């Protein structure tokens, strides 16, 4: 029986390879080959595993490889179909009416994933026997790309499942659908299958053999898209650990925000399932998107700008359209060397752009004007391009930018920061992670300070007084000295737990508040060195300072 | 194509606006104006104590040195700077604003500012 399954799988692989070769799609082919090899390695590793935890890791790798192979296969099929039907996907340059505008691609990153758990009292207080443990991981799919998080071991001392991974997808469109699936497996051997009568076992394996082919075909059809079927193809139980789909959800552009948000999870397993975990029903994460139009220049060239001022001279500048700004540099080299532009014209959803002759600019051809309104005033910049062709391409770039802004919506307000995903740490043995439950004392008094105290102790002290000598460099009154009671003192190490009421879990919207009792908010922030210019990907996000400079 | 709104030109100061001409003072190697600015499109506008609209990211005068060139020219604390020598100051970063005011080649800067007291007076006169 196992042999039949193996042959079927090998045939599948062969078929896949042939198709990839015939399409001459080298990139996809390379990815497929890589996954097939990884899969073979994972199979061998699984066979050689002796420890349950190693087997869990190997099974996870195997499952991820399988799902990637299926997804790439689905993509290959689609491309092959398109090729056969004559649609190459590339727009011929001089054909009929202009093709529909398509929005720019973007990078989508999901990080700080946290899934709260809700243990029942009975589970928590059960002290007999060993700790029941689970291995969980998340699978994320966007388009045909599949990524997984690290595997985490969970037991009843954890209040949340927190994943450290940052997952980045690079080729997303504004209509992306990011499917998130939580898989879990028991760390202990599943008693059910091991104790099944022999007849039942053979029946199970034989029926799997017949239906696996059907399942493969079904998965092929739905692979690549998000569909309603789970991303993973369940492997026939070969004695290795079995992962079950515990919950899933799909996130779209509406969920993107430069901050933490909580989303609902659809729970899919029941209590009878051995891998069932008491999930609270939400997932908290930070989902950001960086459209390419915000981080890459979309147009550049020589412009002559009419100065709004005393002399209505035309200044010759090198304009670079990037994100929601048109930067005008003195010379083209300035854009690369990091020089400050001469000035910047904002381009946002409310900006109005017009091409053509303007009343007062009679005789000046190839002009366009950009108007911004702020408060009651309107400022219009008039720009002259070098030729009709240049005017056309500037207008085209601006229309594309407006289209992208309308599609990517909130992602174009400001550049959202994406951190490069750190290299994955090797899976750790479950250390006893501190849990809020253990640290709580159940007392009648309600004291918010006690909760923040515990959080502060866990995070370590991050509160600092600005040194008094800094006052010399500011025009403000001297800061309160460290001796004064108004200054911030580091959280004292309390040896006795403060009494307070009902046990509290982490707020679902994360990031422990930075409570600084006594921090004087009335003092204006200190002037700093000119901050490094935020270019490209690593923008600082909304500024919290209001600098003052003497001139 | 019609030009909507109006474009600010020389000689066409709007009601509620004021022209201030400051002659810089030489102090050693530097030319100083004698005031401080706050604001900018890269700053947090909610911390601006002078603006009525807390989303206004414009450049404001936060301090005027006593007896300095700015005070002599009539600049007041709380003024919002709209233009400097014809260059727009409403859509600039803090550092860009500072640089526009401290150009070594310019000994005189002509500012176009709005002042809340002036604006309010204009509004009241329009209503009556």
């Amino acid at each position: 029986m196992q042999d039949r399954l193996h042959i079927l799988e090998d045939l599948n692989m062969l078929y896949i390879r042939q198709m990839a070769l015939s399409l001459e799609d080298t990139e996809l082919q390379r990815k497929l080959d890589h996954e097939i090899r990884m899969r073979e390695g994972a199979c061998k590793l699984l066979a050689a595993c002796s420890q349950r935890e190693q087997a869990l890791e190997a099974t996870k790798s195997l499952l991820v490889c399988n799902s990637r192979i299926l997804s790439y296969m689905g993509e290959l099929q689609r491309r092959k179909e398109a090729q056969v039907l004559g649609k190459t996907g590339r727009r011929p340059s001089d054909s009929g009416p202009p093709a529909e505008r398509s929005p720019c691609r973007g990078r989508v990153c999901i990080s700080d994933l946290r899934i709260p758990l809700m243990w029942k009292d009975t589970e928590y207080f059960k002290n007999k026997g060993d700790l029941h443990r689970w291995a969980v991981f998340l699978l994320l799919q966007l388009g045909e790309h599949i990524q997984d998080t690290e595997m985490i071991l969970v037991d009843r001392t954890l209040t949340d499942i927190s994943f450290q991974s940052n997952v980045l997808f690079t080729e997303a469109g504004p209509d992306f659908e990011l499917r998130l699936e939580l898989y879990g497996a028991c760390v202990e051997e599943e008693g059910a299958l091991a104790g099944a009568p022999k007849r039942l076992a053979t029946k199970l394996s034989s029926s799997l053999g017949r239906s696996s082919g059907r399942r493969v075909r079904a998965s092929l059809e739905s692979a690549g898209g998000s569909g309603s079927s789970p991303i993973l193809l369940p492997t026939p139980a070969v004695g290795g650990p079995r992962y079950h789909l515990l919950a899933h959800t799909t996130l779209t552009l509406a969920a993107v925000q430069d901050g933490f948000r909580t989303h609902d999870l659809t729970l899919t397993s029941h209590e009878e399932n051995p891998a069932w975990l008491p999930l609270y029903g939400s997932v908290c994460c930070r989902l950001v998107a960086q459209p390419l139009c915000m981080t890459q220049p979309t147009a550049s060239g020589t412009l002559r700008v009419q100065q709004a001022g005393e002399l209505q001279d035309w200044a010759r500048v090198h304009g670079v359209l990037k994100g929601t700004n048109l930067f005008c540099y003195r010379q083209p080299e300035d854009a690369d060397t990091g020089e400050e532009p001469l000035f910047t014209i904002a381009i946002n959803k409310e900006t109005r752009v017009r091409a053509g002759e303007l009343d007062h600019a009679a005789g000046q051809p190839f002009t366009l004007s950009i108007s911004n309104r702020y408060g009651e005033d309107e400022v219009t910049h008039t720009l002259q391009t070098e030729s009709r062709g240049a005017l056309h391409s500037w207008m085209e770039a601006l229309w594309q930018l407006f289209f992208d802004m309308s599609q990517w919506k909130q992602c174009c307000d400001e550049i959202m920061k994406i951190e490069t995903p750190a290299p994955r740490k090797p899976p750790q043995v479950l250390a006893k992670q501190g849990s809020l439950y253990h640290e709580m004392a159940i007392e009648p008094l309600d004291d918010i300070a006690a909760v923040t105290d515990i959080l502060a102790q866990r995070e370590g002290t991050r509160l600092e007084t600005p040194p008094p000598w800094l006052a010399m460099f500011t025009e403000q009154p001297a800061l309160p000295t460290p001796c004064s009671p108004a200054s911030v003192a580091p959280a004292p190490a309390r040896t006795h737990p403060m009494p307070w009421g009902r046990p509290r879990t982490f707020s679902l919207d994360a990031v422990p508040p930075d409570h600084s009792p006594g921090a004087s908010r009335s003092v204006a922030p200190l002037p700093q060195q000119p901050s490094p210019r935020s270019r490209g990907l690593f923008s600082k996000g909304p500024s919290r300072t209001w600098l003052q400079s003497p001139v | 194509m019609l030009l909507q709104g109006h474009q600010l030109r020389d000689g066409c100061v709007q009601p509620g606006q004021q022209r201030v001409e400051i002659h810089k003072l030489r102090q050693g190697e530097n030319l100083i104006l004698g005031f401080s600015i706050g604001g900018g499109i890269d700053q947090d506008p909610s911390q601006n104590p002078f603006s009525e609209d807390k989303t206004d990211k414009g450049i404001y005068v936060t301090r005027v040195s006593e007896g300095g060139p700015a005070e002599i020219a009539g600049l007041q604390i709380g003024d919002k700077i709209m233009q400097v020598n014809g260059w727009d100051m409403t859509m600039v970063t803090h550092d860009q604003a500072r640089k526009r005011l401290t150009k070594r080649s310019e000994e005189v800067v002509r500012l176009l500012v709005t002042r809340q007291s002036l604006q309010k007076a204009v509004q009241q006169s329009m209503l009556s």
Side-chain angles (χ1 to χ4, degrees), chain A residues 327-331 333-342 533 535, chain B residues 96 99:
Chain A
F327 299 102
C328 297
Y329 296 93
R330 196 171 287 124
Q331 20 177 29
E333 295 75 47
D334 287 352
D336 302 318
T337 56
E339 275 287 315
E340 281 289 328
L342 272 179
R533 257 161 262 112
R535 283 184 168 265
Chain B
Q96 283 171 346
K99 284 185 178 159

Side-chain angles (χ1 to χ4, degrees), chain A residues 305-312 315 317 325 327 330 339-346 348 352-360 369 371-382 414 475-476 523-525 530-531 533 541-551, chain B residues 1-10 14 17 19 31-50 56-58 60 62-63 80 82-83 85-88 90-103 110 114 119 123:
Chain A
V305 186
Q306 185 179 38
Q307 299 181 36
E310 307 165 355
L311 324 148
Q312 292 189 341
V317 297
N325 287 304
F327 299 102
R330 196 171 287 124
E339 275 287 315
E340 281 289 328
L342 272 179
F343 58 90
T344 304
I345 302 174
N348 51 44
R352 285 197 313 284
V353 175
R354 289 180 301 276
E357 317 274 324
L358 297 172
D359 300 339
H360 70 283
S369 72
S371 304
N372 278 303
R373 175 170 283 273
Y374 51 92
E376 291 167 11
D377 302 311
E378 184 176 285
V379 170
T380 302
H381 290 92
T382 310
E414 273 194 48
E475 308 290 334
Q476 301 142 11
V523 177
S531 46
R533 257 161 262 112
S543 174
R544 301 260 156 73
T545 61
W546 200 73
L547 300 181
Q548 296 180 44
S549 305
V551 292
Chain B
M1 303 220 184
L2 289 175
L3 183 65
Q4 296 172 28
H6 49 267
Q7 201 166 352
L8 298 168
R9 294 184 216 188
D10 186 26
Q14 292 196 307
Q17 289 187 341
R19 283 208 179 273
L31 280 171
I32 64 156
L33 288 148
F35 68 98
S36 294
I37 51 165
I41 54 174
D42 58 336
Q43 303 295 311
D44 177 9
S46 62
Q47 296 181 42
N48 183 347
F50 304 104
D56 182 359
K57 293 189 171 183
Y60 281 77
T62 60
R63 193 189 61 88
K80 177 179 170 181
M82 310 293 279
Q83 288 180 15
N85 284 352
W87 292 102
D88 172 60
T90 57
M91 293 267 183
V92 293
T93 64
H94 185 84
D95 204 47
Q96 283 171 346
R98 191 187 57 79
K99 284 185 178 159
R100 294 248 176 98
L101 287 160
T102 53
K103 289 200 156 103
R110 293 185 185 85
T114 50
Q119 286 219 309
Q123 278 171 10

Side-chain angles (χ1 to χ4, degrees), chain A residues 6-25:
Chain A
H6 283 314
I7 290 172
L8 196 66
E9 283 175 9
D10 285 342
L11 278 174
N12 277 335
M13 293 304 144
L14 195 62
Y15 168 63
I16 292 166
R17 278 207 173 99
Q18 296 281 29
M19 205 166 49
L21 275 169
S22 74
L23 251 191
E24 293 167 358
D25 195 326

Side-chain angles (χ1 to χ4, degrees), chain A residues 453-500:
Chain A
D453 197 42
I454 288 207
L455 291 176
Q457 278 180 324
R458 276 148 70 81
E459 305 287 325
T461 54
R462 277 182 298 170
L463 315 166
E464 289 168 357
T465 330
W469 50 260
L470 214 47
M472 289 204 300
F473 295 92
T474 77
E475 308 290 334
Q476 301 142 11
L479 297 164
T481 62
C483 316
S484 79
S487 68
V488 174
R494 295 191 210 225
T495 46
H496 61 277
M498 285 287 282
W500 87 92

Side-chain angles (χ1 to χ4, degrees), chain A residues 223-236:
Chain A
S226 36
S228 53
S229 58
I231 307 168
L232 289 190
L233 185 67
T235 51

